[in-house]
Amino acid sequence: MSLEGKRVAVLAEEGYQELELWYPVLRLREEGADVVVVAPQTVKAYESFLGYPMLAESTFEDLDVSSLDGVVIPGGGAGRRLEKLGEAVNLVSSSVEQGLLVAAIGTGTGVLAAAGALKGKRFTTDEAFKGEAADTGGTLVNGDVVADGLVITSRGADDLPAFFNSIQLTLLSKGK
């Protein structure tokens, strides 16, 4: 199930949860997708919660959303930072408006909420975001992964295989 010809942005910011960023990046590349890591700056190494560096390949401002098929948002401290970053929220909002896949795991769900992407959608999230779920306009459900149209959410790192499978199937079913 090759993803050749698909282009996916994976968002990065300080404090990302290692597996929630690296797993999608590596699995998407392994399946042939063109993955671009996007962050506020490209000259900086963004460190995970445990100190693993990730170099961004594009900034939010330089990325052409129309060149994408989807956006993946990791959790950890990065999810909380990204939801407060206007450029990241605008990227996700534009992606939703253009009918792209948007997928978030753990606290990355907060970015979807900030972009209005959860309104009228079923979603899942981690314990850290559940208290804010009522303010999203969506319906919180319990599950390892919840796909509602082109919006995919997952609870956390333990659910990464199901999260990736849902992303892959959605990208394959969506022609561009």
Side-chain angles (χ1 to χ4, degrees):
M1 293 196 288
S2 174
L3 294 176
E4 286 187 37
K6 301 293 183 181
R7 187 162 197 247
V8 180
V10 178
L11 309 189
E13 183 46 286
E14 293 292 333
Y16 66 84
Q17 201 285 348
E18 294 78 15
L19 292 173
E20 293 175 6
L21 187 139
W22 281 100
Y23 186 95
V25 166
L26 295 173
R27 288 292 291 122
L28 286 162
R29 286 180 176 159
E30 182 177 65
E31 294 299 327
D34 175 20
V35 177
V36 58
V37 178
V38 184
Q41 301 172 15
T42 56
V43 295
K44 176 182 176 188
Y46 290 85
E47 289 191 3
S48 71
F49 179 75
L50 297 176
Y52 292 95
M54 170 60 83
L55 293 174
E57 299 157 325
S58 178
T59 65
F60 294 109
E61 294 162 351
D62 292 339
L63 185 68
D64 177 11
V65 176
S66 68
S67 73
L68 298 175
D69 295 286
V71 176
V72 177
I73 309 159
R80 291 306 199 178
R81 285 180 176 86
L82 289 165
E83 76 180 81
K84 293 173 178 69
L85 190 60
E87 298 95 331
V89 173
N90 289 340
L91 171 69
V92 173
S93 180
S94 294
S95 298
V96 170
E97 288 171 12
Q98 292 188 31
L100 306 180
L101 168 134
V102 290
I105 187 164
T107 61
T109 309
V111 183
L112 295 178
L118 296 177
K119 287 185 178 126
K121 300 286 185 181
R122 294 172 53 250
F123 71 97
T124 192
T125 190
D126 69 349
E127 289 297 322
F129 189 75
K130 282 188 178 178
E132 300 165 55
D135 297 331
T136 65
T139 303
L140 178 64
V141 297
N142 188 25
D144 55 354
V145 66
V146 174
D148 190 336
L150 295 173
V151 176
I152 300 171
T153 53
S154 191
R155 296 177 300 201
D158 288 345
D159 302 320
L160 278 163
F163 182 62
F164 177 76
N165 286 341
S166 187
I167 290 169
Q168 184 176 29
L169 290 172
T170 302
L171 285 171
L172 287 170
S173 69
K174 185 178 177 314
K176 183 173 180 184

